[in-house]
């Protein structure tokens, strides 16, 4: 299972980055894909994702993927967010997984398991 | 190079997902990691990323990674955005790369290369 | 009460707009206060506001203003959001109250009281 | 001119707050208008506003209100942002103008005119 995923979807983060770069180049959209513009587009897509969840109760939101229509919309918005995050990281020359792993290691130092357990205050700045 | 990346950082999207899940479980933070809360946290981190770029000219933003201090801050914020996007997708049971690939295929149909070339209007809804 | 407010805080939206314009002019910040930059700053401040609420339960969030520290932070973030919204509207030549009133009138047509009552689906696009 | 505005649109911030409260009450939407939900809606509307500006050059964005179609969309999005900001402040019991004025006074102390003049670094955290 893990090895399938590593060779499959996980292996394709590199492919996705390449495909999105090619997608932009074919359409001569690199001129629009500046760091500021892509950051704005990322924020815009996150806004659309929030709009899908904003009026749901916590219980409804936890079940949103079981609703075929709402679930498909949430999945599409998450796809859009990922697209702009991958494009932005590519334009800036940042490796997404390494940047996230480094940040997680930093959080592990700041929030040791024993003292952070079950604490929303500590969860705030994870 | 590609094979190194596929086995290395790209292969680790699965690992990153697992590590972030374990990080939350060890600290009993799953109770806070609901879809709505994670979407809000994602939006909050994107806001911090925008704050790093907002007063820069387009030219300055294009060079931001060459500034050691600003570059490190941008990289850290991108890491935070990735962390919450991965967590949100994991909680919802969504594969990030597949969701993005599906959305890209949809955009390819809506914006054929010939008609979309160099057009900001078409870039709007990529 | 209403007349006090109309002459007092409400009357000062015009004053606030003027004061913020002067604040920027005195510091020669108009060069940074372009529509795109101000929209990014607005989004960044909304992100900081979300960060104050993201890990709270709905019940905790409803009581957040009774906590002196958290309440002061939320109030300060709301103040920041208002500052950038007023600046952005001023730079674009948009009257905030009129724009909101027009949008509310539009929503009133789309969501008649009888059919919209108590409906989250209708609340979605208010 | 100023007196017209002070008696007119500015005086109506109080009216707008009242009208939006009544709008929600008539539709029994107070149940959805919790602080977290309204903050998400605010963020979502800011995202839609960013989407209107994201692919424009700084020069195009500075002229966006001269385009009847794009200008109308930007104005409508700003109206939506204002609506949710007013609702959120009302639910939390915060006076928007006072909160912004207090924050501006704080910024005036942190960024004295002489030292802040023309500085993007100082503009960052206004």
């Amino acid at each position: 299972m893990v090895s399938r995923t590593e060779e499959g979807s996980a292996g394709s983060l590199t492919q996705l980055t390449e495909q999105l770069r090619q997608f932009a180049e074919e359409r001569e959209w690199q001129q629009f894909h500046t760091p500021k513009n892509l950051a704005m587009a990322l924020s815009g897509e996150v806004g659309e994702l929030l709009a899908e969840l904003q009026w749901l109760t916590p219980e409804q939101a936890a079940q949103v993927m079981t609703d075929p229509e709402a679930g498909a919309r949430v999945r599409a918005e998450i796809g859009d967010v990922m697209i702009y995050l991958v494009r932005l990281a590519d334009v800036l020359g940042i490796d997404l997984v390494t940047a996230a792993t480094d940040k997680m290691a930093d959080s592990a130092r700041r929030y040791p398991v024993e003292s952070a357990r079950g604490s929303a205050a500590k969860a705030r700045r994870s």
Side-chain angles (χ1 to χ4, degrees), chain A:
Chain A
M1 177 87 131
V2 168
S3 68
R4 183 199 64 75
T5 311
E6 280 182 354
E7 291 170 12
S9 69
S12 55
L13 177 56
T14 304
Q15 291 171 6
L16 175 64
T17 305
E18 289 287 345
Q19 288 167 345
L20 288 172
R21 190 188 303 164
Q22 186 179 340
F23 188 94
E25 287 176 355
E26 286 173 350
R27 286 157 185 80
E28 298 176 8
W29 285 355
Q30 307 105 303
Q31 60 186 308
F32 306 118
H33 285 191
T34 65
K36 289 183 75 153
N37 291 5
L38 287 167
M40 291 176 79
L42 173 63
S43 184
E45 297 298 344
V46 170
E48 293 192 28
L49 174 61
L50 289 178
E52 290 297 331
L53 301 173
Q54 65 199 19
W55 304 130
L56 305 183
T57 63
E59 294 70 29
Q60 289 170 332
Q63 298 296 322
V64 69
M65 300 308 294
T66 64
D67 177 318
E69 286 186 24
R73 288 199 304 268
V74 167
R75 189 174 178 278
E77 297 301 349
I78 293 232
D80 277 333
V81 172
M82 182 65 171
I83 283 173
Y84 285 116
L85 181 58
V86 167
R87 278 299 290 152
L88 178 59
D90 190 33
V91 164
L92 292 172
I94 292 171
D95 184 291
L96 277 177
V97 171
T98 308
T101 302
D102 289 353
K103 210 61 203 311
M104 180 176 57
D106 184 54
S107 291
R109 280 188 294 273
R110 285 186 295 142
Y111 306 112
V113 169
E114 284 311 314
S115 59
R117 189 172 288 153
S119 165
K122 296 302 174 46
R124 163 168 292 151
R125 305 306 313 163
S126 71

